[in-house]
Amino acid sequence: MSSTVNTFLKVSEQKAFDVEHRRKINFNISKYDHSVEKGLLQFDNLELARKRAHATKWKVIENLDRYLLEFESNFMRKGGKVIWANNATEARKEILAIMKKANAKMVVKSKSMACEEIELNEFLEKNKIESIETDLGEYIVQLLGQKPYHIVTPAMHLSKEDIAKLFHEKFGTPIDATPTELTLKARELLREKYTSADVGISGGNFLIADSGSIAITENEGNARLTTTFPKIHIAIVGIEKIIPSIKDLEMFWPLLSARGTGQNVTVYNTILSGPKQSNESDGPEEMYVILLDNGRTNLLAQKDQRQALYCIRCGACLNACPVYKNIGGHTYDTTYSGPIGSIITPHLKGMEEFKHLSYASSLCGNCSEVCPVKIDIHKILLYNRRDAVDQNLNSKAESFGWMMWKKTMLSRKRTDMVSGKWKNYFMNTFFKGSWGKRRELPEFKIDSFSKLWKSKNAK
Ligand code: SF4
């Protein structure tokens, strides 16, 4: 077993028994559930909206090359610059080159999972460039030296008391400060950063092909300040975020907000189409979009799993997942956690090391049910498991066990030949480990099924 799996299993066990962790997550997810119930009421026909969103993403992912080129040419027409990055190293190199050219010492960042994916903060720090998270949740986890716990709500694992304590220790605010007081303190600390930062870095919720724009959705207004105050704006966006037309936002924005946070529409939705134009007073002088592959084309090549690229990162599948709710976001130790992380990470970062995530599921299907773009998440988990077996990535003992199982089960004669005692021995030898120490293995009767059947009918 690789060290990644061992760590995952060990931390999962600790978290599953951490009652305080469970209390906080249940509390925060129950508030979320309540809001989503109301948010979804805005749809007359939610199922139809989901089907349309699925079809739109199908069209765009099946023609990804064409739509990305359309985006590129439209964005460049307005003075924007597009950089294609095959992987994290290329993306970081390009970002550093822009920073060096501008002699940048400080950047402000708005929330971006693509930046997490390329470990941008750590990279900038190593290059002596200060990087400040401006989303409140991201700012809190940055102060704690942690990674985001959740793709939408990075500090979901913390209570308001935890955050008050953190701010008390770092900034001397009262230990019992209210959420409003804490937010005001963060705002006061961050405001001056926007005006003094050399570069603003963001992600992007959508890349819009026909208008050559990126769309950013947020609730705090920090992304607007990040992308407009500094002289340079760099957006790092995964290539799968593309949608064909600006008109599609009327469908995707409500789906994202309703499932993401339970709002009818998120507070700030910004469309950015290049740097400041000569007749405009606001905006950056230079704007770059880094189109990030970083394993996405590996996923694109898998016809059964490709639809995982339709994801709009609403986070709903995480909140719906019984495994996520028990083991928490940090346990996955990946940028994308929960069901969506389990299906994409083996393709983004390697099947061998991350195949275990596709087994971290009860296959209840709740994730697929809530997904606003109707991704068959639980089926993709099975396809990943199939691929892991096809690539001989399972242990020899497990493969041997299944081979014997299949041979026996396909023949009544062979099934009856082996006594219950041997079957139990076989199960205990080959399956006990994967079955888990907290579950009892099913026990075979000593007599075969045929024998039991016969004696039952004889009575
Ligand atoms: S897979 Fe679906 S539910 Fe999960 S984050 Fe993506 S869009 Fe949301």
Side-chain angles (χ1 to χ4, degrees):
M1 237 190 262
S2 78
S3 62
T4 320
V5 189
N6 277 331
T7 313
F8 177 77
L9 292 174
K10 205 168 135 208
V11 182
S12 297
E13 173 131 3
Q14 283 163 3
K15 278 289 171 202
F17 287 96
D18 182 341
V19 178
E20 186 55 13
H21 170 261
R22 188 176 304 190
R23 187 189 66 76
K24 286 174 192 164
I25 296 309
N26 283 345
F27 176 74
N28 286 331
I29 292 186
S30 68
K31 280 206 312 199
Y32 160 87
D33 287 341
H34 188 64
S35 307
V36 169
E37 228 177 277
K38 287 200 267 174
L40 291 177
L41 293 177
Q42 68 182 295
F43 292 96
D44 281 341
N45 191 338
L46 175 63
E47 200 46 29
L48 184 62
R50 293 174 74 214
K51 279 185 187 156
R52 285 193 175 145
H54 184 94
T56 305
K57 286 303 272 187
W58 169 80
K59 180 173 77 173
V60 83
I61 295 296
E62 293 298 315
N63 299 286
L64 192 55
D65 50 345
R66 181 162 71 74
Y67 283 108
L68 285 173
L69 290 175
E70 187 184 339
F71 165 80
E72 182 184 41
S73 82
N74 287 332
F75 182 65
M76 284 169 67
R77 243 180 334 108
K78 289 180 220 125
K81 292 174 189 150
V82 172
I83 295 168
W84 298 75
N86 281 315
N87 51 39
T89 313
E90 279 184 24
R92 288 191 296 246
K93 198 174 130 215
E94 294 289 347
I95 293 166
L96 189 61
I98 300 168
M99 300 279 177
K100 283 200 168 148
K101 201 169 131 218
N103 198 20
K105 296 279 176 288
M106 198 221 319
V107 307
V108 277
K109 265 190 75 249
S110 63
K111 190 174 160 352
S112 156
M113 293 313 286
C115 289
E116 292 296 329
E117 211 180 309
I118 64 168
E119 301 189 330
L120 187 62
N121 282 347
E122 295 81 351
F123 174 76
L124 292 176
E125 202 178 304
K126 265 189 215 143
N127 284 281
K128 313 235 171 324
I129 298 168
E130 192 187 1
S131 173
I132 295 160
E133 295 288 352
T134 60
D135 170 272
L136 186 56
E138 290 280 346
Y139 183 60
I140 291 165
V141 289
Q142 188 182 35
L143 287 174
L144 285 167
Q146 293 180 356
K147 294 278 186 193
Y149 179 90
H150 185 284
I151 59 177
V152 174
T153 35
M156 186 195 247
H157 58 308
L158 301 171
S159 63
K160 65 179 188 317
E161 289 77 19
D162 293 333
I163 300 164
K165 184 166 170 279
L166 173 72
F167 273 47
H168 174 70
E169 285 162 8
K170 297 268 180 193
F171 311 120
T173 47
I175 187 79
D176 56 353
T178 62
T180 309
E181 286 166 336
L182 296 169
T183 310
L184 286 175
K185 183 67 191 172
R187 185 179 289 179
E188 174 199 318
L189 293 163
L190 289 171
R191 275 282 151 143
E192 50 136 338
K193 302 286 182 189
Y194 295 113
T195 48
S196 49
D198 305 294
V199 176
I201 297 185
S202 73
N205 294 85
F206 300 101
L207 290 164
I208 307 161
D210 70 352
S211 62
S213 323
I214 63 164
I216 300 180
T217 292
E218 46 141 359
N219 270 317
E220 297 168 19
N222 64 302
R224 276 199 182 167
L225 297 174
T226 299
T227 56
T228 50
F229 262 116
K231 288 204 166 82
I232 301 172
H233 169 209
I234 307 172
I236 303 153
V237 193
I239 51 175
E240 82 287 8
K241 294 289 186 77
I242 193 102
I243 54 172
S245 168
I246 200 159
K247 291 185 207 140
D248 296 315
L249 288 173
E250 85 175 332
M251 171 173 64
F252 283 110
W253 272 345
L255 281 172
L256 178 60
S257 56
R259 272 298 177 201
T261 48
Q263 292 162 287
N264 280 354
V265 72
T266 317
V267 180
Y268 299 94
N269 282 298
T270 311
I271 299 173
L272 300 160
S273 311
K276 180 167 71 174
Q277 305 294 298
S278 55
N279 58 347
E280 291 173 347
S281 55
D282 298 316
E285 287 163 16
E286 291 174 48
M287 180 175 171
Y288 298 84
V289 170
I290 299 188
L291 295 174
L292 184 69
D293 179 342
N294 210 25
R296 285 161 175 81
T297 44
N298 296 337
L299 189 49
L300 185 66
Q302 312 301 319
K303 74 173 175 36
D304 293 327
Q305 290 105 317
R306 179 180 300 161
Q307 57 165 301
L309 292 169
Y310 302 176
C311 175
I312 56 171
R313 306 276 188 264
C314 72
C317 57
L318 282 66
N319 302 335
C321 176
V323 174
Y324 183 90
K325 283 194 252 194
N326 273 287
I327 66 172
H330 285 146
T331 305
Y332 291 78
D333 201 18
T334 53
T335 307
Y336 305 101
S337 55
I340 182 63
S342 297
I343 58 174
I344 65 172
T345 309
H347 302 280
L348 301 186
K349 298 183 79 175
M351 185 62 85
E352 183 155 15
E353 204 179 341
F354 291 96
K355 70 175 189 326
H356 61 279
L357 297 181
S358 303
Y359 294 83
S361 167
S362 63
L363 297 179
C364 65
N366 210 14
C367 46
S368 307
E369 229 163 81
V370 298
C371 178
V373 285
K374 272 184 98 64
I375 300 174
D376 268 336
I377 303 170
H378 64 299
K379 282 196 192 142
I380 298 178
L381 290 165
L382 293 176
Y383 289 129
N384 281 355
R385 294 181 191 185
R386 174 202 63 192
D387 289 354
V389 173
D390 287 349
Q391 293 167 31
N392 290 322
L393 298 175
N394 290 31
S395 72
K396 295 255 177 309
E398 195 184 335
S399 302
F400 179 73
W402 284 117
M403 193 263 288
M404 292 301 288
W405 173 274
K406 188 176 162 191
K407 264 192 182 321
T408 313
M409 294 306 282
L410 285 176
S411 152
R412 168 57 56 201
K413 215 168 125 198
R414 270 196 290 265
T415 312
D416 291 349
M417 211 161 67
V418 185
S419 77
K421 208 170 131 197
W422 277 105
K423 283 175 191 156
N424 288 327
Y425 172 78
F426 176 81
M427 291 292 283
N428 271 301
T429 309
F430 294 107
F431 289 98
K432 184 77 185 142
S434 50
W435 194 256
K437 62 182 176 203
R438 294 184 201 286
R439 289 196 297 173
E440 289 293 323
L441 272 170
E443 204 169 314
F444 287 92
K445 295 264 187 235
I446 298 298
D447 288 337
S448 71
F449 176 75
S450 309
K451 207 166 170 191
L452 290 170
W453 185 254
K454 264 187 211 150
S455 60
K456 182 177 179 259
N457 286 340
K459 276 178 198 167

XYZ file of all heavy atoms in Angstrom, residues 250-330:
624
model
N -27.131 32.949 -18.031
C -28.451 33.050 -17.387
C -28.903 31.693 -16.858
O -29.757 31.602 -15.991
C -29.482 33.691 -18.323
C -30.135 32.744 -19.261
C -31.226 33.390 -20.091
O -31.843 34.359 -19.639
O -31.428 32.896 -21.212
N -28.318 30.611 -17.383
C -28.625 29.275 -16.863
C -27.595 28.865 -15.805
O -27.937 28.350 -14.746
C -28.607 28.283 -18.018
C -28.701 26.841 -17.619
S -28.860 25.808 -19.068
C -27.299 26.080 -19.912
N -26.307 29.123 -16.079
C -25.269 28.633 -15.171
C -25.182 29.445 -13.871
O -24.901 28.877 -12.820
C -23.903 28.608 -15.872
C -23.768 27.439 -16.811
C -23.751 27.620 -18.178
C -23.682 26.138 -16.318
C -23.628 26.533 -19.046
C -23.566 25.055 -17.171
C -23.545 25.251 -18.539
N -25.382 30.741 -13.933
C -25.285 31.538 -12.700
C -26.298 31.075 -11.636
O -25.904 30.821 -10.499
C -25.444 33.034 -13.009
C -24.155 33.723 -13.351
C -22.894 33.241 -13.129
C -24.005 35.011 -13.956
N -21.967 34.151 -13.556
C -22.607 35.250 -14.065
C -24.890 35.977 -14.404
C -22.091 36.428 -14.609
C -24.387 37.149 -14.948
C -22.992 37.365 -15.048
N -27.594 30.960 -11.974
C -28.527 30.502 -10.920
C -28.246 29.067 -10.459
O -28.410 28.761 -9.284
C -29.901 30.581 -11.590
C -29.729 31.405 -12.794
C -28.300 31.307 -13.215
N -27.812 28.200 -11.378
C -27.507 26.827 -10.959
C -26.344 26.812 -9.972
O -26.368 26.120 -8.956
C -27.175 25.946 -12.176
C -28.351 25.436 -12.999
C -27.860 24.755 -14.271
C -29.232 24.469 -12.204
N -25.342 27.632 -10.282
C -24.168 27.688 -9.410
C -24.529 28.279 -8.044
O -24.148 27.739 -6.997
C -23.069 28.528 -10.095
C -21.769 28.755 -9.336
C -21.075 27.438 -9.012
C -20.818 29.640 -10.135
N -25.284 29.355 -8.047
C -25.585 30.001 -6.765
C -26.561 29.164 -5.940
O -26.391 29.025 -4.730
C -26.135 31.408 -6.981
O -27.266 31.357 -7.808
N -27.571 28.587 -6.600
C -28.564 27.802 -5.843
C -27.908 26.585 -5.200
O -28.134 26.291 -4.030
C -29.704 27.371 -6.754
N -27.090 25.876 -5.940
C -26.460 24.672 -5.391
C -25.217 24.988 -4.553
O -24.859 24.245 -3.651
C -26.067 23.716 -6.527
C -27.156 22.753 -6.938
C -27.555 21.831 -5.803
N -28.651 20.944 -6.177
C -29.439 20.345 -5.300
N -29.292 20.540 -4.009
N -30.386 19.547 -5.704
N -24.554 26.101 -4.896
C -23.313 26.433 -4.186
C -23.568 26.968 -2.788
O -22.936 26.556 -1.822
N -24.525 27.921 -2.697
C -24.743 28.586 -1.411
C -26.226 28.757 -1.059
O -26.543 29.270 0.004
C -24.102 29.999 -1.438
O -24.515 30.642 -2.656
C -22.598 29.933 -1.389
N -27.097 28.360 -1.966
C -28.525 28.500 -1.699
C -29.053 29.894 -2.003
O -30.149 30.259 -1.578
N -28.292 30.676 -2.760
C -28.768 32.024 -3.104
C -29.466 31.985 -4.467
O -29.155 31.134 -5.307
C -27.581 32.981 -3.201
C -26.899 33.263 -1.877
C -25.503 33.844 -2.097
O -24.589 33.126 -2.487
N -25.344 35.129 -1.847
N -30.365 32.942 -4.677
C -30.982 33.045 -6.012
C -29.919 33.425 -7.019
O -29.846 32.885 -8.101
C -32.074 34.108 -6.020
C -33.345 33.566 -5.428
O -33.427 32.377 -5.119
N -34.326 34.425 -5.253
N -29.125 34.392 -6.632
C -27.981 34.754 -7.465
C -26.902 35.258 -6.510
O -27.199 35.856 -5.475
C -28.401 35.777 -8.551
C -28.674 37.148 -7.996
C -27.393 35.853 -9.674
N -25.659 34.957 -6.842
C -24.569 35.356 -5.947
C -24.437 36.877 -5.969
O -24.793 37.529 -6.958
C -23.262 34.669 -6.403
O -23.563 33.323 -6.730
C -22.220 34.675 -5.318
N -23.903 37.451 -4.881
C -23.941 38.908 -4.736
C -23.174 39.636 -5.858
O -23.649 40.596 -6.431
C -23.383 39.315 -3.352
C -23.428 40.825 -3.190
C -24.176 38.636 -2.244
N -21.965 39.166 -6.148
C -21.187 39.829 -7.203
C -20.910 38.858 -8.338
O -20.278 37.816 -8.130
C -19.835 40.319 -6.668
C -19.939 41.329 -5.567
C -19.905 40.928 -4.236
C -20.076 42.691 -5.857
C -19.992 41.856 -3.213
C -20.169 43.621 -4.840
C -20.129 43.194 -3.518
O -20.220 44.113 -2.511
N -21.367 39.184 -9.517
C -21.026 38.418 -10.720
C -20.349 39.388 -11.681
O -20.960 40.358 -12.123
C -22.290 37.829 -11.360
C -22.747 36.598 -10.609
O -22.037 35.608 -10.529
N -23.933 36.664 -10.032
N -19.093 39.152 -11.961
C -18.316 40.106 -12.757
C -17.882 39.455 -14.070
O -17.457 38.302 -14.067
C -17.051 40.530 -11.970
O -17.454 40.890 -10.658
C -16.334 41.682 -12.629
N -18.015 40.202 -15.145
C -17.536 39.709 -16.444
C -16.366 40.606 -16.870
O -16.513 41.827 -16.944
C -18.658 39.752 -17.506
C -19.822 38.851 -17.061
C -18.144 39.310 -18.872
C -21.049 38.945 -17.936
N -15.232 39.996 -17.091
C -14.035 40.771 -17.452
C -13.593 40.381 -18.856
O -13.432 39.196 -19.148
C -12.906 40.480 -16.459
C -13.217 40.828 -14.993
C -12.293 40.097 -14.054
C -13.116 42.333 -14.771
N -13.425 41.370 -19.715
C -13.132 41.070 -21.125
C -11.860 41.739 -21.603
O -11.812 42.326 -22.682
C -14.299 41.517 -22.009
O -15.503 41.055 -21.490
N -10.839 41.703 -20.789
C -9.577 42.299 -21.234
C -9.157 43.455 -20.346
O -9.876 43.834 -19.413
N -8.004 44.050 -20.618
C -7.523 45.164 -19.799
C -8.345 46.428 -20.048
O -9.214 46.449 -20.915
C -6.079 45.329 -20.267
C -6.070 44.815 -21.662
C -7.094 43.720 -21.723
N -8.012 47.447 -19.277
C -8.685 48.748 -19.413
C -8.540 49.249 -20.857
O -7.439 49.229 -21.418
C -8.015 49.717 -18.440
C -8.579 51.102 -18.450
C -8.088 51.893 -17.265
C -6.616 52.245 -17.388
N -6.157 53.138 -16.319
N -9.650 49.690 -21.439
C -9.598 50.216 -22.804
C -9.327 51.729 -22.753
O -9.474 52.353 -21.695
C -10.929 49.933 -23.526
C -11.329 48.458 -23.537
C -10.384 47.570 -24.357
O -10.236 47.752 -25.551
N -9.731 46.604 -23.703
N -8.968 52.301 -23.897
C -8.569 53.731 -23.883
C -9.691 54.652 -23.409
O -9.438 55.709 -22.842
C -8.091 54.144 -25.275
O -9.098 53.839 -26.208
N -10.935 54.230 -23.597
C -12.044 55.104 -23.167
C -12.574 54.726 -21.783
O -13.646 55.164 -21.372
C -13.180 55.035 -24.194
C -13.700 53.617 -24.385
O -13.058 52.656 -23.933
N -14.837 53.481 -25.036
N -11.857 53.882 -21.062
C -12.324 53.443 -19.733
C -11.429 54.019 -18.633
O -10.228 54.217 -18.838
C -12.309 51.905 -19.650
C -13.370 51.250 -20.527
C -13.262 49.727 -20.591
O -12.229 49.171 -20.157
O -14.203 49.110 -21.101
N -12.024 54.221 -17.452
C -11.231 54.819 -16.367
C -10.722 53.755 -15.387
O -9.774 53.991 -14.653
C -12.079 55.862 -15.625
O -13.276 55.258 -15.195
N -11.368 52.577 -15.338
C -10.974 51.562 -14.358
C -10.445 50.310 -15.031
O -10.718 50.050 -16.193
C -12.200 51.141 -13.513
C -12.754 52.296 -12.741
O -11.958 53.042 -12.170
O -13.991 52.448 -12.729
N -9.727 49.549 -14.230
C -9.268 48.243 -14.713
C -7.762 48.175 -14.827
O -7.065 49.199 -14.781
N -7.241 46.965 -14.962
C -5.787 46.801 -15.053
C -5.253 47.227 -16.412
O -5.984 47.234 -17.406
C -5.614 45.283 -14.866
C -6.889 44.704 -15.372
C -7.976 45.694 -15.096
N -3.969 47.563 -16.431
C -3.363 47.932 -17.718
C -3.040 46.692 -18.549
O -3.005 46.730 -19.767
C -2.085 48.750 -17.471
C -2.427 50.153 -16.999
C -1.249 50.855 -16.360
O -0.101 50.406 -16.529
O -1.498 51.871 -15.674
N -2.768 45.601 -17.838
C -2.494 44.340 -18.539
C -3.359 43.251 -17.948
O -3.536 43.186 -16.727
C -1.024 43.916 -18.345
C -0.013 44.785 -19.031
C 1.416 44.369 -18.640
O 1.719 43.168 -18.680
O 2.191 45.264 -18.265
N -3.906 42.401 -18.807
C -4.684 41.268 -18.292
C -4.273 39.988 -19.019
O -4.228 39.949 -20.248
C -6.187 41.500 -18.476
C -7.012 40.337 -17.947
S -8.789 40.634 -18.022
C -9.401 39.007 -17.602
N -3.957 38.980 -18.227
C -3.540 37.685 -18.774
C -4.546 36.621 -18.341
O -5.013 36.645 -17.192
C -2.181 37.265 -18.209
C -1.047 38.195 -18.532
C -0.815 39.335 -17.752
C -0.188 37.933 -19.597
C 0.241 40.190 -18.032
C 0.872 38.780 -19.883
C 1.076 39.911 -19.100
O 2.127 40.754 -19.373
N -4.828 35.689 -19.235
C -5.572 34.492 -18.837
C -4.663 33.297 -19.080
O -4.172 33.106 -20.203
C -6.898 34.333 -19.615
C -7.513 32.962 -19.337
C -7.897 35.410 -19.204
N -4.412 32.553 -18.028
C -3.613 31.327 -18.177
C -4.579 30.159 -18.291
O -5.362 29.885 -17.366
C -2.658 31.131 -16.987
C -1.690 32.316 -16.934
C -1.916 29.791 -17.096
C -0.571 32.203 -15.943
N -4.578 29.519 -19.446
C -5.456 28.370 -19.668
C -4.716 27.119 -19.191
O -3.727 26.706 -19.787
C -5.816 28.255 -21.151
C -6.644 29.414 -21.718
C -6.813 29.265 -23.221
C -8.009 29.506 -21.036
N -5.216 26.564 -18.108
C -4.486 25.484 -17.437
C -5.027 24.107 -17.821
O -6.221 23.843 -17.686
C -4.621 25.679 -15.914
C -3.850 24.701 -15.034
C -2.343 24.922 -15.142
C -4.290 24.839 -13.574
N -4.119 23.274 -18.314
C -4.480 21.874 -18.600
C -4.239 21.052 -17.328
O -5.176 20.639 -16.659
C -3.639 21.355 -19.780
C -3.939 19.896 -20.118
O -4.510 19.190 -19.272
O -3.597 19.453 -21.226
N -2.990 20.823 -16.988
C -2.616 20.121 -15.758
C -3.375 18.807 -15.548
O -3.922 18.560 -14.478
C -2.833 21.064 -14.554
C -1.852 20.767 -13.432
O -0.774 20.246 -13.663
N -2.249 21.071 -12.207
N -3.442 18.012 -16.587
C -4.074 16.692 -16.469
C -5.499 16.628 -16.994
O -6.081 15.549 -17.126
N -6.083 17.787 -17.320
C -7.477 17.769 -17.775
C -7.625 17.025 -19.099
O -8.653 16.402 -19.348
C -7.994 19.203 -17.904
C -8.282 19.823 -16.542
C -8.327 21.327 -16.624
N -8.725 21.921 -15.347
C -7.904 22.111 -14.320
N -6.636 21.742 -14.397
N -8.345 22.657 -13.195
N -6.615 17.123 -19.968
C -6.743 16.420 -21.248
C -6.608 14.901 -21.063
O -7.080 14.139 -21.887
C -5.732 16.951 -22.299
O -4.468 17.113 -21.677
C -6.164 18.261 -22.888
N -5.982 14.468 -19.960
C -5.987 13.020 -19.657
C -7.421 12.572 -19.408
O -7.848 11.502 -19.823
C -5.185 12.702 -18.383
C -3.725 13.033 -18.544
O -3.228 13.088 -19.662
N -3.048 13.259 -17.439
N -8.136 13.420 -18.681
C -9.530 13.106 -18.373
C -10.392 13.169 -19.642
O -11.268 12.337 -19.864
C -10.022 14.101 -17.312
C -11.372 13.893 -16.660
C -11.554 12.474 -16.156
C -11.549 14.868 -15.504
N -10.085 14.163 -20.471
C -10.808 14.316 -21.730
C -10.665 13.061 -22.601
O -11.576 12.693 -23.338
C -10.256 15.541 -22.476
C -10.954 15.958 -23.756
C -12.369 16.445 -23.469
C -10.170 17.063 -24.472
N -9.536 12.400 -22.487
C -9.287 11.212 -23.317
C -10.087 9.990 -22.848
O -10.173 8.995 -23.556
C -7.792 10.884 -23.300
N -10.671 10.056 -21.647
C -11.435 8.913 -21.119
C -12.904 9.092 -21.484
O -13.580 9.913 -20.878
C -11.307 8.825 -19.584
C -9.906 8.928 -19.049
C -9.003 7.851 -19.597
O -9.411 6.706 -19.720
N -7.793 8.226 -19.962
N -13.385 8.312 -22.426
C -14.760 8.595 -22.873
C -15.810 8.346 -21.772
O -16.829 9.015 -21.740
C -15.086 7.869 -24.175
C -15.321 6.387 -24.073
C -15.808 5.862 -25.412
C -15.953 4.366 -25.459
N -16.407 3.682 -24.268
N -15.562 7.425 -20.876
C -16.552 7.157 -19.824
C -16.503 8.166 -18.677
O -17.471 8.317 -17.945
C -16.329 5.752 -19.239
C -16.644 4.674 -20.259
O -17.546 4.895 -21.080
O -15.968 3.625 -20.247
N -15.336 8.787 -18.497
C -15.195 9.688 -17.346
C -15.137 11.168 -17.730
O -15.134 12.037 -16.869
C -13.911 9.338 -16.569
C -13.982 8.023 -15.838
C -13.180 6.931 -16.520
O -13.222 6.795 -17.732
N -12.436 6.146 -15.758
N -15.097 11.408 -19.049
C -14.926 12.771 -19.559
C -15.935 13.768 -18.970
O -15.636 14.932 -18.774
C -15.093 12.690 -21.072
C -14.994 13.933 -21.840
C -15.182 13.631 -23.309
N -14.191 12.709 -23.828
C -14.347 12.008 -24.970
N -15.447 12.136 -25.680
N -13.398 11.203 -25.378
N -17.144 13.303 -18.693
C -18.170 14.248 -18.231
C -17.833 14.865 -16.871
O -18.478 15.839 -16.453
C -19.555 13.609 -18.205
C -19.671 12.377 -17.378
C -21.120 12.017 -17.122
O -21.865 12.805 -16.552
N -21.541 10.847 -17.560
N -16.820 14.336 -16.187
C -16.390 14.986 -14.939
C -15.894 16.406 -15.230
O -15.838 17.256 -14.337
C -15.298 14.167 -14.270
N -15.547 16.677 -16.498
C -15.093 18.020 -16.872
C -16.256 19.017 -16.971
O -16.040 20.196 -17.189
C -14.341 17.984 -18.211
C -12.989 17.266 -18.216
C -12.477 17.073 -19.634
C -11.957 18.046 -17.405
N -17.486 18.545 -16.817
C -18.632 19.475 -16.871
C -18.764 20.263 -15.555
O -19.548 21.184 -15.463
C -19.954 18.734 -17.090
C -20.064 17.867 -18.326
C -21.210 17.100 -18.550
C -19.049 17.805 -19.274
C -21.333 16.286 -19.670
C -19.162 16.992 -20.391
C -20.294 16.231 -20.590
O -20.408 15.417 -21.688
N -18.033 19.827 -14.549
C -18.180 20.376 -13.186
C -18.045 21.891 -13.147
O -17.115 22.456 -13.718
C -17.113 19.746 -12.291
S -17.079 20.421 -10.629
N -18.982 22.547 -12.446
C -18.898 23.999 -12.288
C -18.460 24.370 -10.865
O -18.591 25.516 -10.448
C -20.224 24.702 -12.669
C -21.414 24.145 -11.867
C -20.488 24.588 -14.166
C -22.708 24.950 -12.030
N -17.959 23.376 -10.131
C -17.375 23.586 -8.792
C -18.343 24.267 -7.824
O -17.969 25.233 -7.156
C -16.098 24.433 -8.893
C -15.062 23.889 -9.847
C -14.183 22.831 -9.242
N -13.090 22.487 -10.130
C -13.099 21.453 -10.978
N -14.124 20.638 -11.056
N -12.055 21.215 -11.742
N -19.568 23.752 -7.775
C -20.531 24.338 -6.840
C -20.343 23.784 -5.428
O -20.805 24.371 -4.458
C -21.953 24.077 -7.326
S -22.445 22.347 -7.150
N -19.719 22.630 -5.323
C -19.461 22.042 -3.994
C -20.617 21.219 -3.442
O -20.516 20.661 -2.349
N -21.734 21.138 -4.173
C -22.921 20.451 -3.632
C -22.657 18.976 -3.348
O -23.156 18.422 -2.368
C -24.083 20.590 -4.615
N -21.856 18.333 -4.218
C -21.638 16.896 -4.010
C -20.839 16.638 -2.734
O -21.007 15.599 -2.094
C -20.986 16.257 -5.233
S -19.417 16.977 -5.730
N -19.992 17.581 -2.347
C -19.239 17.408 -1.099
C -20.214 17.433 0.081
O -20.160 16.584 0.977
C -18.220 18.539 -0.916
C -16.913 18.496 -1.703
C -17.127 18.639 -3.189
C -15.947 19.564 -1.228
N -21.106 18.432 0.046
C -22.036 18.593 1.166
C -23.030 17.445 1.276
O -23.599 17.201 2.333
C -22.806 19.913 1.013
C -21.863 21.097 0.955
O -20.747 21.028 1.454
N -22.298 22.175 0.338
N -23.245 16.761 0.143
C -24.229 15.669 0.138
C -23.591 14.320 0.471
O -24.295 13.343 0.692
C -24.870 15.583 -1.252
N -22.284 14.282 0.526
C -21.593 12.985 0.602
C -21.415 12.511 2.052
O -20.787 13.196 2.863
C -20.232 13.108 -0.073
S -19.243 11.612 0.071
N -21.942 11.324 2.394
C -21.777 10.833 3.771
C -20.315 10.580 4.140
O -19.953 10.699 5.308
C -22.577 9.527 3.784
C -22.782 9.148 2.363
C -22.723 10.408 1.562
N -19.497 10.253 3.149
C -18.078 10.014 3.448
C -17.391 11.350 3.759
O -16.687 11.488 4.771
C -17.388 9.285 2.272
C -15.893 9.164 2.513
C -18.003 7.910 2.056
N -17.632 12.362 2.910
C -17.033 13.687 3.146
C -17.429 14.217 4.525
O -16.611 14.746 5.270
C -17.485 14.663 2.048
C -16.858 16.032 2.173
C -15.660 16.333 1.551
C -17.456 17.024 2.962
C -15.072 17.577 1.680
C -16.866 18.272 3.107
C -15.686 18.539 2.459
O -15.094 19.788 2.614
N -18.714 14.045 4.869
C -19.200 14.590 6.136
C -18.532 13.909 7.337
O -18.469 14.464 8.415
C -20.721 14.433 6.229
C -21.440 15.464 5.373
C -22.899 15.529 5.715
C -23.718 14.937 4.624
N -25.134 15.216 4.684
N -18.070 12.707 7.143
C -17.425 11.992 8.241
C -15.924 12.206 8.307
O -15.366 12.338 9.384
C -17.712 10.488 8.129
C -19.010 10.142 8.815
O -19.080 10.146 10.037
N -20.045 9.896 8.048
N -15.279 12.231 7.134
C -13.810 12.306 7.179
C -13.287 13.725 6.928
O -12.128 13.995 7.204
C -13.137 11.311 6.202
C -13.421 11.669 4.731
C -13.566 9.881 6.493
C -12.627 10.847 3.733
N -14.142 14.619 6.401
C -13.747 16.014 6.211
C -12.837 16.246 5.014
O -12.231 15.310 4.480
N -12.728 17.496 4.620
C -12.037 17.857 3.389
C -10.528 17.657 3.395
O -9.940 17.254 2.395
N -9.881 17.950 4.541
C -8.413 17.878 4.558
C -7.891 16.449 4.417
O -6.776 16.230 3.958
C -7.869 18.485 5.858
C -7.951 19.987 5.857
N -8.185 20.722 6.991
C -7.831 20.889 4.848
C -8.203 22.019 6.690
N -8.001 22.133 5.392
